[in-house]
Amino acid sequence: MKLLQPIRLGRVEVKNRVVQTAHSAFVDFWQKGNDGARYIAYVERRARGGCGLLILTAMHVHASSQKEMHFVYDAADMAPKYRELSDRAHAHGARLVQQLFHYGATGKSEARDDMHPLWGMSALTSSQGETAHAMSEEEIEEIIESFAAAARIACENGVDGVELHGTHGYLIQQSFSPWGNQRTDRWGEPLAFLTAVIHRVRAAIGPDKILGLRISADDFLSGAGGLGPDGLRDVAAGAVATGHLDYLNHSEGAGGAHYVRAIGSYRYKMGEWLPYTRGLKEAISGAIPVIGVGKIPTHDLAEQALKAGDCDLVGMTRAGCRTGGAILAGAGGGWRGGDPPCILGRGAARGA
Ligand SMILES: Cc1cc2nc3c(=O)[nH]c(=O)nc-3n(C[C@H](O)[C@H](O)[C@H](O)COP(=O)(O)O)c2cc1C
């Protein structure tokens, strides 16, 4: 079974091709003073279930990326939590990658005085009616450095690598999309910010750690300020041409109303996005492994996608959960203790 065959991401071997992509579970893990026990147990349970690569819930890299009930990490507070998380996941042979992001102009300060104004490439007005501050040169540099610093903290404390979150309408996607970036200085060049982040993060984590990128295969904004599948394939090719990426991941749309497609509901077909995964793979001439994503809930469909050459690894994120309650449990609710009820198919039953 190809699904259970190992694969190398850069210099790191992953024991099989089953991936849990990032999803906002237990975001209080990043809250200073929180011991992280719930999220660590959640990740460990998936690792014990047999998942090869676990991409950790997105982590805000800078205080200007904010929303209530989300937390910007504290370096000293994170180190022991990452150590414990890594040790416990590694004990089951899983690899961990930390997803990194910044909301940019699509954040939400909830009108709180203690939050920064939103920082964006351009002074966009968010769907909540907040107008972002267009970052200065110095602020862009601060954000690039904050991606590197966050990556360093994860990787120095046992995490196997990081993934840059370049979709769902957030800052990285804003930076290469016409709707998000109308700058006339050097940062107006569509790939300038993304490639600067890639170079800086690779320099921070060194050659032995994994560096991945998640973009949309389709932003659903062709002709409406977005890039569409063809433009996004060019972004993928440009990013991979840096020579610093170890895998490509994808998730569709630009956030907001697009989530219903990105996190496909019952209305949408199984494996709906696999032809788009294949499009990305072709755009980069198979230079690095690509993760196929979106309603791939069975071993059979995953195997079929791998055999057809649509992808090299398979995201089986909600599929790895027995109940929606555990996966959706954020800072406010859900599972409160004991062994979280999430599994990865049959492997979990064996490992339990
Ligand atoms: C509750 C929830 C939160 C999510 N949060 C993120 C996120 O922070 N970053 C991200 O890239 N994708 C996020 N996703 C999307 C998942 O990574 C994945 O692409 C999606 O669930 C589709 O895959 P699936 O059909 O295998 O579940 C989230 C999904 C869910 C269900």
Side-chain angles (χ1 to χ4, degrees):
M1 212 182 192
K2 202 168 177 191
L3 187 60
L4 300 181
Q5 283 171 12
I7 184 166
R8 287 191 87 77
L9 300 182
R11 298 187 183 180
V12 178
E13 181 161 287
V14 179
K15 70 175 181 178
N16 61 43
R17 283 127 192 275
V18 179
V19 183
Q20 173 184 277
T21 55
H23 56 285
S24 320
F26 304 114
V27 294
D28 55 357
F29 179 68
W30 284 273
Q31 184 178 23
K32 189 175 176 183
N34 182 297
D35 65 7
R38 294 195 306 167
Y39 190 55
I40 292 170
Y42 178 71
V43 172
E44 183 182 28
R45 188 69 182 87
R46 284 293 185 92
R48 179 148 55 95
C51 192
L53 179 68
L54 292 138
I55 302 173
L56 302 175
T57 288
M59 166 170 163
H60 293 274
V61 298
H62 188 268
S64 58
S65 174
Q66 293 211 33
K67 190 170 163 183
E68 273 197 291
M69 302 307 289
H70 276 240
F71 306 98
V72 177
Y73 74 94
D74 174 273
D77 175 74
M78 284 313 298
K81 290 195 269 197
Y82 271 140
R83 279 267 154 229
E84 187 179 347
L85 178 64
S86 308
D87 288 349
R88 285 171 52 181
H90 288 159
H92 300 285
R95 296 294 189 177
L96 295 178
V97 160
Q98 174 62 65
Q99 189 181 57
L100 300 176
F101 78 149
H102 187 293
Y103 278 141
T106 58
K108 197 173 175 190
S109 75
E110 314 276 8
R112 274 174 47 174
D113 291 342
D114 59 333
M115 288 191 168
H116 289 61
L118 309 177
W119 283 17
M121 299 304 288
S122 295
L124 308 182
T125 301
S126 76
S127 55
Q128 276 85 25
E130 284 190 51
T131 301
H133 153 73
M135 290 185 280
S136 66
E137 274 272 339
E138 292 71 27
E139 287 162 347
I140 291 178
E141 165 58 30
E142 192 175 323
I143 297 300
I144 294 170
E145 191 48 37
S146 70
F147 272 96
R152 210 177 286 119
I153 287 156
C155 291
E156 282 176 354
N157 288 290
V159 178
D160 300 289
V162 293
E163 175 182 279
L164 305 175
H165 191 349
T167 174
H168 297 174
Y170 301 140
L171 182 63
I172 291 178
Q173 188 176 33
Q174 291 161 32
S175 73
F176 56 68
S177 302
W179 65 266
N181 186 352
Q182 291 112 35
R183 298 179 76 100
T184 51
D185 61 7
R186 68 188 172 113
W187 298 107
E189 196 283 304
L191 286 184
F193 181 75
L194 172 60
T195 53
V197 173
I198 290 172
H199 282 283
R200 194 75 64 86
V201 169
R202 175 55 83 193
I205 64 178
D208 295 333
K209 296 283 181 175
I210 302 169
L211 176 54
L213 171 66
R214 188 171 221 196
I215 62 167
S216 297
D218 186 358
D219 58 9
F220 309 137
L221 291 171
S222 289
L227 295 172
D230 290 342
L232 286 156
R233 286 171 196 175
D234 291 344
V235 171
V240 170
T242 61
H244 290 311
L245 293 178
D246 298 317
Y247 74 83
L248 195 62
N249 187 2
H250 69 97
S251 179
E252 279 38 79
H258 297 162
Y259 279 122
V260 71
R261 304 289 305 278
I263 309 173
S265 73
Y266 68 93
R267 293 171 191 272
Y268 301 104
K269 301 199 297 191
M270 303 295 177
E272 167 177 39
W273 299 111
L274 286 169
Y276 290 77
T277 315
R278 197 188 185 97
L280 285 176
K281 209 164 134 67
E282 285 167 4
I284 61 166
S285 308
I288 53 174
V290 179
I291 305 176
V293 175
K295 286 190 72 175
I296 308 174
T298 65
H299 292 173
D300 286 348
L301 184 54
E303 192 64 18
Q304 211 176 298
L306 291 169
K307 283 206 175 120
D310 292 334
C311 54
D312 307 287
L313 301 102
V314 187
M316 302 181 77
T317 302
R318 285 168 297 168
C321 246
R322 188 185 296 147
T323 74
I327 204 167
L328 290 170
W335 171 76
R336 293 271 175 222
D339 206 7
C342 51
I343 61 162
L344 174 73
R346 287 161 278 185
R350 277 201 304 274

